[in-house]
Amino acid sequence: MKQGFPEDFLWGGATAANQSEGAYLKDGKGLSTADVMTAGKHGIPREITKEIENDKYYPSHQAIDHYHHVKEDIALFAEMNFKCYRFSINWSRLFPNGDEEVPNEKGLQYYDEVIDTCLQHKIEPLVTMSHFETPLGLLKYGSWQNRKVVDFFLRYAETLLKRYKGKVKYWITFNEINVMSTKPWMAGGIESTDESVTMAAAFHQLLASAKTVQLAHDIDPDNKIGMMYAGHIAYPNSPDPEDMQATVDFMHKMLFYCDVQCRGYYPAYKLKELERKGIELPIHDGDLEDLRKGTVDFLSYSYYLTHVVGKETSLDFQGLNGVKTGYTNPYLEKSDWGWAIDPKGLRYSLNYLYDRYQLPLMIVENGLGAVDEIAEDGEIHDLYRIGYLRDHIIEMKKAIEIDGIPLMGYTSWGPIDIISASTGEMKKRYGFIYVDVDDHGNGSFRRIKKDSFYWYKKVLKSNGENLE
Ligand code: BG6
């Protein structure tokens, strides 16, 4: 019997443009929604300003300057034996205001370099088309509330699919699409949390994704297009049937995005909820057919933590940091940022999602955000990170070997330290590679290999067998 990870398992790491590239106005790039977000802290939200204010610090502006270190950074990934690098393309590098007819050639040349460098190192690029960065210029249309933005996105997607035909095979349309229900600004430049607005915006993103899937298959039948779910997974607080129902309700809030993208239609529970709330989706002729035809080839998701939900829970939570599930899981430890660490929950989530969708799965984010110190010997001994990742990889392996889950790959989050999305901090580090820059953007930007670098390199060399 064949045991272990499949030979073609896509091991690697994942980043996002606004959290890593910096160079926020270089070579004709326009502003994106990420570029007007200041830095916050654990418990202190990031501020969104209308324009750039000189006395404020905006972490995306220089981030870790991946833009100018991209060859060096990918070479370090290759040294760790990466088979896959998931990164995002910043829409506003190609279409600075979002609505231009012709893309910015200089922006494309940068991504040519990223992709060609990956291919030189035999690293499979996995490209996210939209990862928490919408061109700020689209706000004048109301961003994703407006159907026009679907067409602007399709122009952008077509540009990518044609330019990188034969070079990029794996694509994700929207990062953590269900974040539209928790942090609509990040998900798509939506300022209101009113559900009639967020549900219209979500509909337009789901439609744009479905049309992109069809386009991608037309342009190259070898393309594999995935959806990406912010892996909210919840346990009931007790065997009380009311706690169980609350958990079902919570999961419905999150999972309807997966239902649409994997099954091709809005589920009954969502339609009933919208009807009760008097919300009408902006559906035009042919849209439902597009949703049906544009189902994804695989389901990818981020997995960091699990929630506990019960009957007292408020379902109107705002964002990961502010999840008001109201309960602490007494069986789990928490990270310094309060995220419940739950490796066994990873196996549970894989089973849960596979049972529901029967599609190939991929873990495209997982990792421990922690404070790293440079020790007296000049090294970073991040054994806590190794422990976290090892425990998760063990559970992933069980899901493959015992449960028969078709798992395509695993890209850990932030293989090199990058800016935190939720807090904008630099000190919340996930990387195997330390970057010498602090929360105020000061530092040499030097890259330093942590202990986890050498560990992950061994793991990948052994195709997940050597976890010591
Ligand atoms: C996911 C996002 O929500 O979690 C990433 O897709 C993000 O962009 C990651 O960075 C980790 O969250 P944080 O807030 O610790 O950076």
Side-chain angles (χ1 to χ4, degrees), residues 16 19 131-132 175-176 228 302 304 320 339 365 413 419-423 428 430:
Q19 293 169 251
H131 190 134
F132 297 167
N175 179 64
E176 295 192 336
M228 190 333 195
S302 56
Y304 295 94
L320 261 185
W339 292 12
E365 291 186 27
W413 181 247
I419 301 290
S420 155
S422 58
T423 68
K428 189 179 186 188
Y430 286 87

Side-chain angles (χ1 to χ4, degrees), residues 2-7 9 11 80-81 83 393 397 454-468:
K2 169 92 186 68
Q3 289 289 68
F5 290 93
E7 283 307 314
F9 194 73
W11 289 103
M80 278 187 280
N81 300 308
K83 284 195 188 159
I393 292 173
K397 194 166 178 225
Y454 303 100
W455 173 79
Y456 200 52
K457 180 177 175 173
K458 266 193 312 194
V459 174
L460 270 48
K461 180 143 196 274
S462 65
N463 197 24
E465 289 305 312
N466 183 357
L467 299 177
E468 289 316 308

Side-chain angles (χ1 to χ4, degrees), residues 40-100:
K41 272 191 186 146
H42 183 32
I44 302 179
R46 302 178 69 175
E47 191 190 340
I48 299 158
T49 61
K50 288 233 171 303
E51 50 196 33
I52 310 279
E53 296 177 20
N54 288 335
D55 57 339
K56 299 220 154 98
Y57 179 64
Y58 299 90
S60 72
H61 293 192
Q62 60 172 0
I64 60 155
D65 200 26
H66 188 50
Y67 194 84
H68 296 107
H69 290 75
V70 71
K71 287 197 165 165
E72 174 191 349
D73 293 345
I74 294 176
L76 286 165
F77 299 159
E79 198 183 321
M80 278 187 280
N81 300 308
F82 275 30
K83 284 195 188 159
C84 177
Y85 176 35
R86 172 184 175 227
F87 59 92
S88 71
I89 291 192
N90 201 327
W91 187 355
S92 62
R93 258 190 217 295
L94 272 49
F95 293 88
N97 289 306
D99 58 359
E100 291 86 350

Side-chain angles (χ1 to χ4, degrees), residues 113 255 391:
E113 188 185 9
L255 280 176
D391 291 348

Side-chain angles (χ1 to χ4, degrees), residues 160-168 171 218-221 223:
L160 297 180
L161 292 163
K162 288 193 168 153
R163 177 93 165 198
Y164 300 120
K165 180 176 174 179
K167 289 188 171 183
V168 176
W171 302 88
D218 287 348
I219 289 175
D220 186 348
N223 275 327

